[in-house]
């Protein structure tokens, strides 16, 4: 099993891409701490699902933008599973408004969760990993929008662009400790985040026309890349962004 005996935290691990990562890492032998925010039922159901196939998992509620709650998440993981080897910074939100009308509170909320949350979880997890002296893995679920513009979604793009430079910089700082840090950058993934878009046939077709493979990604396809990056096979990979977008970023616009 590629992640046997490893302990992983997945933030926002109860929904969409996070849920798929949680399941794939558990199937690969890792013990999972599922961070959730809000309703506890989906996280508890996921723990049960993992235990049913013989895996190990627990759930803990923490807002990734709150330092005290992130401290508790890491402390609880160490108490429950005896250490921490893998952090997946998956929690994220978006809310679209034209830049000229974007309310300041929405801008700060998106930055707090998508960028400050990655900062906080990475710092607190890395402090634990350094103490353990056995290396570690930090994987951020970023987006093609760490590089690609998206009008009406400026705070989201700013947060993911920030995650890219945060990842590169801390990867260099953490390398002497054997901790690798990488970004996974999906294009369009079939999750609750994009559910509204799928309801609108015109917008959905317009989105598919932007994707050379002409479909959204399945969450599991993102999860499998994360399992690889968390495994020993990826020991030499750090400070990099992995685009997984069906070719979206290279679309020539010639059709
Ligand atoms: P989702 O809405 O299904 O999942 C987001 C998760 O984040 C939920 O579990 C939610 O509870 C959690 N969350 C929100 N605020 C939180 C907070 N303050 N503290 C802790 N958890 C919090 O959406 P998803 O599509 O699975 O998104 C997961 C990640 O993937 C996000 O970072 C998103 O930016 C990124 N992403 C998604 C897509 C896509 O097309 N769906 C594409 C590229 C990147």
């Amino acid at each position: 099993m590629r992640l046997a005996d490893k302990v992983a935290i997945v933030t926002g691990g109860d929904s969409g891409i996070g849920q798929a990562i949680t399941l794939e890492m558990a199937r690969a032998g890792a013990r999972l701490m599922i961070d959730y925010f809000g309703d506890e039922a989906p996280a508890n159901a996921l723990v049960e699902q993992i235990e049913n196939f013989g895996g190990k998992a627990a759930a803990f509620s923490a807002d990734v933008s709150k330092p005290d709650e992130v401290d508790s998440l890491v402390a609880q993981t160490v108490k429950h599973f005896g250490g921490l080897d893998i952090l997946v910074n998956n929690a994220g939100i978006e809310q679209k408004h034209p830049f000229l009308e974007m309310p300041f509170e929405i801008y700060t909320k998106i930055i707090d969760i998508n960028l400050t949350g990655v900062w906080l979880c990475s710092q607190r997890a890395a402090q634990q990993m350094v103490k353990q002296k056995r290396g570690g893995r930090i994987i951020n679920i970023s987006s093609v929008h760490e590089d690609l513009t998206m009008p009406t979604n400026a705070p989201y793009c700013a947060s993911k662009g920030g995650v890219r430079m945060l990842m590169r910089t801390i990867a260099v700082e953490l390398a002497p400790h054997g901790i690798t840090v990488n970004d996974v950058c999906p294009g369009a993934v079939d999750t609750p985040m994009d559910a509204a878009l799928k309801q609108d046939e015109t917008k959905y077709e317009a989105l598919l026309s932007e994707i050379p493979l002409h479909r959204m990604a399945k969450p599991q396809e993102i999860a499998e890349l994360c399992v690889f990056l968390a495994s020993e096979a990826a020991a030499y990979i750090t400070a990099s962004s992995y685009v997984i977008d069906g070719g979206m970023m290279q679309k020539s616009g010639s059709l």
Side-chain angles (χ1 to χ4, degrees):
M1 298 246 257
R2 283 190 291 171
L3 303 183
D5 301 327
K6 301 292 184 196
V7 176
I9 292 175
V10 180
T11 67
D14 62 333
S15 168
I17 296 171
Q19 184 188 68
I21 296 168
T22 298
L23 280 169
E24 280 308 300
M25 288 197 167
R27 284 194 190 102
R31 291 166 284 162
L32 265 298
M33 180 57 84
I34 303 162
D35 162 58
Y36 67 94
F37 182 63
D39 184 9
E40 65 181 348
N44 289 338
L46 198 52
V47 170
E48 207 180 310
Q49 191 182 345
I50 289 168
E51 286 174 347
N52 283 344
F53 63 69
K56 289 200 168 57
F60 189 81
S61 171
D63 179 338
V64 295
S65 67
K66 301 271 167 31
D68 292 353
E69 296 188 27
V70 173
D71 282 341
S72 301
L73 172 64
V74 172
Q76 194 58 33
T77 304
V78 173
K79 190 171 165 211
H80 197 83
F81 292 122
L84 175 61
D85 304 287
I86 301 160
L87 166 70
V88 182
N89 285 308
N90 165 77
I93 58 164
E94 68 173 2
Q95 207 170 321
K96 294 175 186 163
H97 295 278
F99 172 62
L100 294 175
E101 293 150 28
M102 178 70 72
F104 181 64
E105 306 71 52
I106 291 176
Y107 165 77
T108 51
K109 188 175 173 199
I110 293 169
I111 295 292
D112 283 353
I113 295 170
N114 294 13
L115 180 56
T116 308
V118 173
W119 165 278
L120 277 172
C121 293
S122 300
Q123 188 194 50
R124 307 304 158 91
Q127 285 166 349
Q128 173 63 29
M129 291 170 184
V130 168
K131 221 176 346 175
Q132 294 171 180
K133 295 191 190 337
R134 59 175 196 239
R137 298 277 193 275
I138 297 174
I139 300 165
N140 303 320
I141 306 307
S142 179
S143 165
V144 288
H145 298 296
E146 72 171 43
D147 200 39
L148 195 66
T149 63
M150 189 180 197
T152 74
N153 219 355
Y156 184 80
C157 294
S159 70
K160 299 298 187 180
V163 164
R164 175 166 69 173
M165 283 313 297
L166 174 61
M167 172 277 291
R168 288 179 179 172
T169 308
I170 68 174
V172 173
E173 286 193 50
L174 295 174
H177 302 283
I179 300 168
T180 66
V181 193
N182 293 289
D183 283 6
V184 167
C185 303
V189 188
D190 197 353
T191 73
M193 191 180 257
D194 281 333
L197 191 143
K198 272 186 89 179
Q199 305 301 319
D200 184 325
E201 214 171 300
T202 315
K203 279 192 182 159
Y204 187 48
E205 259 315 308
L207 170 72
L208 295 187
S209 75
E210 292 293 317
I211 306 169
L213 288 180
H214 209 69
R215 65 171 177 86
M216 295 171 98
K218 298 175 202 138
Q220 174 148 0
E221 292 173 309
I222 313 302
E224 281 169 8
L225 176 56
C226 293
V227 170
F228 166 70
L229 287 172
S231 74
E232 265 314 295
Y236 198 62
I237 298 175
T238 199
S240 294
S241 288
Y242 285 83
V243 173
I244 174 164
D245 70 345
M248 189 188 221
M249 283 189 75
Q250 308 307 324
K251 183 80 166 64
S252 65
S254 61
L255 293 178

